[in-house]
Amino acid sequence: YMPWVKISLEMLAIALVVVMLARPRSIGSSNQQVVNVQGIEVMVALDVSNSMLASSTDDPQGINRLQKAKQMLEKLIDKLGNDKVGLIVFAGDAYTQIPITADFVSAKMFLGNINPSMVPTQGTAIGAAIKMAANSFTPDEKTQKSIIIITDGENHEDDAVGAAQEAHDKGIQINVVSIGTQKGGPIPMGDGSYMKDEYGNMVISVPNEQVARDVAK
């Protein structure tokens, strides 16, 4: 679990995920060897629900959660070497946007087009995204596999913890980035107005960090 504090720290955290996956590790019991793991596969599950358009009140650039997530993903892709990456977007349901690939140039170009309208149903189906990601890797059992979930966790609606446990049982590492600040922010509607509740009050979107903790655990 990596809380959202400052963009520099978040980028460092996401880079550390790659370092952890590719770190040297020992194998065997009596005759230990050190093996450098290469060729990791990373499936990113990116939340594109409307709440991801909420601004982060502590960000000097005034960018929203989704824009920050894109910045993180660009940094992540730049850190990948002899590796592969894929992308799933989700809100009320999950959709594969980039199958697992080593074409990092195309992957980065695609990031600019990501927006909430890509997923017609609103919500936060983290469980569906994890299940889809877990089935998107190559069948090579020797390859290190990781799912990175970037979400604000709002309107969480399915069994994300159960899906994470199933992925873990398959040897897949789960990493969660909770995006947004506890100050929260209003959700723009695209016409200059902001989302309001049934009483006409402005909705302030606050990330659900507990969901991120539970899934990561």
Side-chain angles (χ1 to χ4, degrees):
Y1 169 67
M2 291 168 281
W4 192 270
V5 182
K6 292 181 180 179
I7 188 67
S8 58
L9 293 180
E10 292 152 356
M11 291 178 177
L12 174 60
I14 208 76
L16 286 176
V17 170
V18 180
V19 173
M20 286 189 294
L21 285 169
R23 71 188 186 275
R25 61 192 63 207
S26 61
I27 61 174
S29 54
S30 58
N31 298 319
Q32 286 197 342
Q33 296 175 299
V34 175
V35 178
N36 287 309
V37 179
Q38 295 181 338
I40 65 173
E41 294 183 1
V42 179
M43 283 299 300
V44 177
L46 176 60
D47 188 346
V48 293
S49 57
N50 284 337
S51 60
M52 290 290 285
L53 295 178
S55 60
S56 292
T57 55
D58 65 343
D59 188 276
Q61 298 178 6
I63 63 177
N64 60 40
R65 298 170 187 173
L66 184 58
Q67 290 169 323
K68 280 192 173 185
K70 292 179 183 181
Q71 288 182 349
M72 293 178 66
L73 291 179
E74 288 181 357
K75 293 292 184 181
L76 168 64
I77 293 171
D78 287 340
K79 293 290 183 181
L80 296 175
N82 183 29
D83 310 306
K84 293 182 179 180
V85 67
L87 175 66
I88 289 169
V89 297
F90 70 94
D93 204 348
Y95 300 86
T96 298
Q97 296 300 312
I98 305 175
I100 200 80
T101 180
D103 185 355
F104 302 146
V105 174
S106 296
K108 288 181 68 174
M109 289 178 61
F110 186 83
L111 291 178
N113 297 321
I114 294 175
N115 62 80
S117 66
M118 302 175 76
V119 181
T121 306
Q122 281 300 302
T124 308
I126 299 175
I130 293 174
K131 289 181 179 180
M132 181 172 288
N135 292 324
S136 300
F137 295 105
T138 64
D140 186 355
E141 296 181 356
K142 296 180 180 179
T143 302
Q144 287 282 104
K145 299 176 175 67
S146 174
I147 298 172
I148 299 176
I149 306 158
I150 304 178
T151 181
D152 60 14
E154 277 212 311
N155 300 320
H156 167 59
E157 57 192 26
D158 61 5
D159 188 10
V161 174
Q165 183 63 56
E166 290 179 10
H168 173 75
D169 292 343
K170 295 178 182 178
I172 300 171
Q173 181 176 330
I174 306 291
N175 302 278
V176 186
V177 178
S178 177
I179 191 166
T181 70
Q182 287 303 303
K183 294 178 181 179
I187 303 173
M189 298 298 293
D191 58 359
S193 65
Y194 292 92
M195 183 179 294
K196 296 182 179 180
D197 62 20
E198 57 184 314
Y199 302 106
N201 301 315
M202 185 180 297
V203 174
I204 301 300
S205 172
V206 178
N208 187 341
E209 293 186 351
Q210 188 59 51
V211 169
R213 289 190 180 96
D214 293 342
V215 173
K217 185 183 296 183

